PDB file of all heavy atoms in Angstrom:
ATOM      1  N   THR A  20       8.208   7.100  -5.747  1.00 97.00           N
ATOM      2  CA  THR A  20       7.346   8.279  -5.816  1.00 97.00           C
ATOM      3  C   THR A  20       6.651   8.386  -7.173  1.00 97.00           C
ATOM      4  O   THR A  20       6.033   9.395  -7.477  1.00 97.00           O
ATOM      5  CB  THR A  20       8.144   9.584  -5.568  1.00 97.00           C
ATOM      6  OG1 THR A  20       9.156   9.657  -6.582  1.00 97.00           O
ATOM      7  CG2 THR A  20       8.786   9.609  -4.196  1.00 97.00           C
ATOM      8  N   GLY A  21       6.761   7.319  -7.972  1.00 97.00           N
ATOM      9  CA  GLY A  21       6.087   7.297  -9.273  1.00 97.00           C
ATOM     10  C   GLY A  21       4.716   6.625  -9.151  1.00 97.00           C
ATOM     11  O   GLY A  21       4.330   6.146  -8.070  1.00 97.00           O
ATOM     12  N   PHE A  22       3.996   6.557 -10.250  1.00 97.00           N
ATOM     13  CA  PHE A  22       2.625   6.027 -10.299  1.00 97.00           C
ATOM     14  C   PHE A  22       2.540   4.590  -9.771  1.00 97.00           C
ATOM     15  O   PHE A  22       1.810   4.292  -8.807  1.00 97.00           O
ATOM     16  CB  PHE A  22       2.139   6.121 -11.757  1.00 97.00           C
ATOM     17  CG  PHE A  22       0.864   5.415 -12.070  1.00 97.00           C
ATOM     18  CD1 PHE A  22      -0.282   5.586 -11.289  1.00 97.00           C
ATOM     19  CD2 PHE A  22       0.775   4.579 -13.185  1.00 97.00           C
ATOM     20  CE1 PHE A  22      -1.475   4.931 -11.604  1.00 97.00           C
ATOM     21  CE2 PHE A  22      -0.405   3.927 -13.520  1.00 97.00           C
ATOM     22  CZ  PHE A  22      -1.533   4.105 -12.714  1.00 97.00           C
ATOM     23  N   ILE A  23       3.314   3.695 -10.366  1.00 98.00           N
ATOM     24  CA  ILE A  23       3.236   2.286  -9.968  1.00 98.00           C
ATOM     25  C   ILE A  23       3.952   2.066  -8.634  1.00 98.00           C
ATOM     26  O   ILE A  23       3.468   1.349  -7.749  1.00 98.00           O
ATOM     27  CB  ILE A  23       3.821   1.389 -11.087  1.00 98.00           C
ATOM     28  CG1 ILE A  23       2.956   1.514 -12.362  1.00 98.00           C
ATOM     29  CG2 ILE A  23       3.915  -0.065 -10.631  1.00 98.00           C
ATOM     30  CD1 ILE A  23       3.553   0.882 -13.606  1.00 98.00           C
ATOM     31  N   THR A  42      14.206   7.555  -4.123  1.00 97.00           N
ATOM     32  CA  THR A  42      13.822   8.597  -5.071  1.00 97.00           C
ATOM     33  C   THR A  42      15.020   9.518  -5.285  1.00 97.00           C
ATOM     34  O   THR A  42      15.874   9.634  -4.403  1.00 97.00           O
ATOM     35  CB  THR A  42      12.610   9.411  -4.550  1.00 97.00           C
ATOM     36  OG1 THR A  42      12.385  10.514  -5.425  1.00 97.00           O
ATOM     37  CG2 THR A  42      12.816   9.917  -3.131  1.00 97.00           C
ATOM     38  N   ARG A  43      15.040  10.176  -6.442  1.00 96.00           N
ATOM     39  CA  ARG A  43      16.098  11.176  -6.650  1.00 96.00           C
ATOM     40  C   ARG A  43      15.740  12.470  -5.951  1.00 96.00           C
ATOM     41  O   ARG A  43      16.595  13.320  -5.739  1.00 96.00           O
ATOM     42  CB  ARG A  43      16.271  11.444  -8.156  1.00 96.00           C
ATOM     43  CG  ARG A  43      16.899  10.290  -8.903  1.00 96.00           C
ATOM     44  CD  ARG A  43      16.780  10.496 -10.391  1.00 96.00           C
ATOM     45  NE  ARG A  43      15.377  10.564 -10.799  1.00 96.00           N
ATOM     46  CZ  ARG A  43      14.970  10.818 -12.042  1.00 96.00           C
ATOM     47  NH1 ARG A  43      15.860  11.030 -12.980  1.00 96.00           N
ATOM     48  NH2 ARG A  43      13.684  10.855 -12.330  1.00 96.00           N
ATOM     49  N   LYS A  47       9.990  14.946  -2.954  1.00 96.00           N
ATOM     50  CA  LYS A  47       8.905  14.023  -3.303  1.00 96.00           C
ATOM     51  C   LYS A  47       8.825  12.886  -2.287  1.00 96.00           C
ATOM     52  O   LYS A  47       7.753  12.431  -1.909  1.00 96.00           O
ATOM     53  CB  LYS A  47       9.126  13.455  -4.714  1.00 96.00           C
ATOM     54  CG  LYS A  47       8.643  14.363  -5.832  1.00 96.00           C
ATOM     55  CD  LYS A  47       8.417  13.595  -7.126  1.00 96.00           C
ATOM     56  CE  LYS A  47       9.653  13.490  -7.971  1.00 96.00           C
ATOM     57  NZ  LYS A  47       9.526  12.652  -9.156  1.00 96.00           N
ATOM     58  N   PHE A  70      21.343   6.860 -12.084  1.00 90.00           N
ATOM     59  CA  PHE A  70      21.657   5.434 -12.113  1.00 90.00           C
ATOM     60  C   PHE A  70      23.150   5.160 -12.310  1.00 90.00           C
ATOM     61  O   PHE A  70      23.639   4.096 -11.967  1.00 90.00           O
ATOM     62  CB  PHE A  70      20.881   4.744 -13.241  1.00 90.00           C
ATOM     63  CG  PHE A  70      19.412   4.595 -12.945  1.00 90.00           C
ATOM     64  CD1 PHE A  70      18.473   4.843 -13.929  1.00 90.00           C
ATOM     65  CD2 PHE A  70      18.973   4.184 -11.700  1.00 90.00           C
ATOM     66  CE1 PHE A  70      17.117   4.688 -13.677  1.00 90.00           C
ATOM     67  CE2 PHE A  70      17.626   4.027 -11.436  1.00 90.00           C
ATOM     68  CZ  PHE A  70      16.694   4.283 -12.429  1.00 90.00           C
ATOM     69  N   VAL A  89      11.433  -0.528  -9.724  1.00 98.00           N
ATOM     70  CA  VAL A  89      10.378   0.011 -10.602  1.00 98.00           C
ATOM     71  C   VAL A  89      10.922   1.144 -11.473  1.00 98.00           C
ATOM     72  O   VAL A  89      10.492   1.335 -12.601  1.00 98.00           O
ATOM     73  CB  VAL A  89       9.206   0.557  -9.738  1.00 98.00           C
ATOM     74  CG1 VAL A  89       8.033   0.982 -10.612  1.00 98.00           C
ATOM     75  CG2 VAL A  89       8.741  -0.494  -8.725  1.00 98.00           C
ATOM     76  N   ALA A  90      11.881   1.906 -10.934  1.00 97.00           N
ATOM     77  CA  ALA A  90      12.336   3.135 -11.591  1.00 97.00           C
ATOM     78  C   ALA A  90      12.904   2.877 -12.985  1.00 97.00           C
ATOM     79  O   ALA A  90      13.723   1.995 -13.177  1.00 97.00           O
ATOM     80  CB  ALA A  90      13.389   3.825 -10.736  1.00 97.00           C
ATOM     81  N   SER A  91      12.448   3.665 -13.921  1.00 96.00           N
ATOM     82  CA  SER A  91      12.952   3.615 -15.293  1.00 96.00           C
ATOM     83  C   SER A  91      12.260   4.765 -16.005  1.00 96.00           C
ATOM     84  O   SER A  91      11.119   5.087 -15.668  1.00 96.00           O
ATOM     85  CB  SER A  91      12.538   2.283 -15.945  1.00 96.00           C
ATOM     86  OG  SER A  91      13.345   1.979 -17.044  1.00 96.00           O
ATOM     87  N   TYR A 174      11.502   3.555 -26.302  1.00 97.00           N
ATOM     88  CA  TYR A 174      11.036   3.057 -24.994  1.00 97.00           C
ATOM     89  C   TYR A 174      10.946   1.529 -25.016  1.00 97.00           C
ATOM     90  O   TYR A 174      11.370   0.849 -24.081  1.00 97.00           O
ATOM     91  CB  TYR A 174       9.678   3.678 -24.653  1.00 97.00           C
ATOM     92  CG  TYR A 174       9.057   3.082 -23.406  1.00 97.00           C
ATOM     93  CD1 TYR A 174       9.582   3.355 -22.142  1.00 97.00           C
ATOM     94  CD2 TYR A 174       7.967   2.211 -23.483  1.00 97.00           C
ATOM     95  CE1 TYR A 174       9.027   2.786 -20.993  1.00 97.00           C
ATOM     96  CE2 TYR A 174       7.412   1.641 -22.345  1.00 97.00           C
ATOM     97  CZ  TYR A 174       7.951   1.931 -21.104  1.00 97.00           C
ATOM     98  OH  TYR A 174       7.413   1.365 -19.986  1.00 97.00           O
ATOM     99  N   LYS A 178      13.139  -1.021 -22.486  1.00 98.00           N
ATOM    100  CA  LYS A 178      12.632  -2.044 -21.575  1.00 98.00           C
ATOM    101  C   LYS A 178      13.219  -3.415 -21.932  1.00 98.00           C
ATOM    102  O   LYS A 178      13.547  -4.208 -21.058  1.00 98.00           O
ATOM    103  CB  LYS A 178      11.106  -2.085 -21.609  1.00 98.00           C
ATOM    104  CG  LYS A 178      10.424  -0.808 -21.132  1.00 98.00           C
ATOM    105  CD  LYS A 178      10.887  -0.325 -19.762  1.00 98.00           C
ATOM    106  CE  LYS A 178      10.423  -1.162 -18.598  1.00 98.00           C
ATOM    107  NZ  LYS A 178      10.861  -0.609 -17.288  1.00 98.00           N
ATOM    108  N   PRO A 203       3.971  -5.783 -17.671  1.00 98.00           N
ATOM    109  CA  PRO A 203       2.605  -5.277 -17.821  1.00 98.00           C
ATOM    110  C   PRO A 203       2.455  -4.431 -19.084  1.00 98.00           C
ATOM    111  O   PRO A 203       3.397  -3.765 -19.498  1.00 98.00           O
ATOM    112  CB  PRO A 203       2.427  -4.383 -16.588  1.00 98.00           C
ATOM    113  CG  PRO A 203       3.831  -3.888 -16.301  1.00 98.00           C
ATOM    114  CD  PRO A 203       4.789  -4.969 -16.760  1.00 98.00           C
ATOM    115  N   PRO A 204       1.253  -4.423 -19.700  1.00 98.00           N
ATOM    116  CA  PRO A 204       0.985  -3.453 -20.778  1.00 98.00           C
ATOM    117  C   PRO A 204       0.582  -2.122 -20.146  1.00 98.00           C
ATOM    118  O   PRO A 204       0.846  -1.894 -18.956  1.00 98.00           O
ATOM    119  CB  PRO A 204      -0.171  -4.106 -21.523  1.00 98.00           C
ATOM    120  CG  PRO A 204      -0.888  -4.904 -20.488  1.00 98.00           C
ATOM    121  CD  PRO A 204       0.110  -5.292 -19.423  1.00 98.00           C
ATOM    122  N   THR A 206      -0.789   0.677 -18.083  1.00 98.00           N
ATOM    123  CA  THR A 206      -1.273   0.521 -16.712  1.00 98.00           C
ATOM    124  C   THR A 206      -2.042   1.767 -16.328  1.00 98.00           C
ATOM    125  O   THR A 206      -1.524   2.891 -16.467  1.00 98.00           O
ATOM    126  CB  THR A 206      -0.057   0.301 -15.775  1.00 98.00           C
ATOM    127  OG1 THR A 206       0.679  -0.821 -16.273  1.00 98.00           O
ATOM    128  CG2 THR A 206      -0.503   0.024 -14.357  1.00 98.00           C
ATOM    129  N   SER A 223       0.734   7.156 -18.774  1.00 95.00           N
ATOM    130  CA  SER A 223      -0.422   6.328 -19.152  1.00 95.00           C
ATOM    131  C   SER A 223      -1.749   6.946 -18.703  1.00 95.00           C
ATOM    132  O   SER A 223      -2.697   7.038 -19.501  1.00 95.00           O
ATOM    133  CB  SER A 223      -0.280   4.902 -18.589  1.00 95.00           C
ATOM    134  OG  SER A 223       0.026   4.928 -17.215  1.00 95.00           O
TER     135      SER A 223
HETATM  136  N1  LIG B 421       2.518   3.212 -16.578  1.00 67.01           N
HETATM  137  C1  LIG B 421       2.499   2.268 -17.508  1.00 67.01           C
HETATM  138  O1  LIG B 421       1.590   2.214 -18.344  1.00 67.01           O
HETATM  139  C2  LIG B 421       3.587   1.219 -17.549  1.00 67.01           C
HETATM  140  C3  LIG B 421       3.362   0.062 -18.298  1.00 67.01           C
HETATM  141  C4  LIG B 421       4.340  -0.943 -18.335  1.00 67.01           C
HETATM  142  C5  LIG B 421       5.512  -0.783 -17.625  1.00 67.01           C
HETATM  143  N2  LIG B 421       5.729   0.367 -16.912  1.00 67.01           N
HETATM  144  C6  LIG B 421       7.001   0.490 -16.177  1.00 67.01           C
HETATM  145  O2  LIG B 421       6.688   0.752 -14.817  1.00 67.01           O
HETATM  146  C7  LIG B 421       7.719   1.538 -14.232  1.00 67.01           C
HETATM  147  C8  LIG B 421       7.121   2.743 -13.542  1.00 67.01           C
HETATM  148  O3  LIG B 421       6.348   3.481 -14.437  1.00 67.01           O
HETATM  149  P1  LIG B 421       5.316   4.586 -13.956  1.00 67.01           P
HETATM  150  O4  LIG B 421       4.172   4.557 -14.868  1.00 67.01           O
HETATM  151  O5  LIG B 421       5.096   4.447 -12.493  1.00 67.01           O
HETATM  152  O6  LIG B 421       6.134   5.886 -14.285  1.00 67.01           O
HETATM  153  P2  LIG B 421       6.462   7.182 -13.422  1.00 67.01           P
HETATM  154  O7  LIG B 421       5.306   7.611 -12.629  1.00 67.01           O
HETATM  155  O8  LIG B 421       7.077   8.112 -14.399  1.00 67.01           O
HETATM  156  O9  LIG B 421       7.581   6.655 -12.418  1.00 67.01           O
HETATM  157  C9  LIG B 421       8.843   6.297 -12.843  1.00 67.01           C
HETATM  158  C10 LIG B 421       9.834   6.536 -11.717  1.00 67.01           C
HETATM  159  O10 LIG B 421      11.117   6.142 -12.173  1.00 67.01           O
HETATM  160  C11 LIG B 421      12.078   7.062 -11.737  1.00 67.01           C
HETATM  161  N3  LIG B 421      12.900   7.456 -12.879  1.00 67.01           N
HETATM  162  C12 LIG B 421      12.486   7.840 -14.095  1.00 67.01           C
HETATM  163  N4  LIG B 421      13.548   8.146 -14.868  1.00 67.01           N
HETATM  164  C13 LIG B 421      14.642   7.948 -14.107  1.00 67.01           C
HETATM  165  C14 LIG B 421      16.021   8.102 -14.340  1.00 67.01           C
HETATM  166  N5  LIG B 421      16.521   8.530 -15.507  1.00 67.01           N
HETATM  167  N6  LIG B 421      16.871   7.833 -13.325  1.00 67.01           N
HETATM  168  C15 LIG B 421      16.385   7.418 -12.133  1.00 67.01           C
HETATM  169  N7  LIG B 421      15.084   7.248 -11.866  1.00 67.01           N
HETATM  170  C16 LIG B 421      14.223   7.510 -12.848  1.00 67.01           C
HETATM  171  C17 LIG B 421      11.359   8.307 -11.183  1.00 67.01           C
HETATM  172  O11 LIG B 421      11.685   8.396  -9.823  1.00 67.01           O
HETATM  173  P3  LIG B 421      12.216   9.767  -9.096  1.00 67.01           P
HETATM  174  O12 LIG B 421      11.936  10.914 -10.025  1.00 67.01           O
HETATM  175  O13 LIG B 421      11.443   9.803  -7.829  1.00 67.01           O
HETATM  176  O14 LIG B 421      13.645   9.519  -8.848  1.00 67.01           O
HETATM  177  C18 LIG B 421       9.894   7.990 -11.329  1.00 67.01           C
HETATM  178  O15 LIG B 421       9.199   8.174 -10.118  1.00 67.01           O
HETATM  179  C19 LIG B 421       8.700   1.859 -15.347  1.00 67.01           C
HETATM  180  O16 LIG B 421       9.720   0.892 -15.276  1.00 67.01           O
HETATM  181  C20 LIG B 421       7.880   1.656 -16.621  1.00 67.01           C
HETATM  182  O17 LIG B 421       8.676   1.312 -17.701  1.00 67.01           O
HETATM  183  C21 LIG B 421       4.795   1.373 -16.863  1.00 67.01           C
END
Side-chain angles (χ1 to χ4, degrees):
T20 60
F22 169 50
I23 296 170
T42 173
R43 289 168 299 176
K47 277 200 272 174
F70 287 138
V89 186
S91 200
Y174 173 72
K178 297 307 289 182
T206 305
S223 50

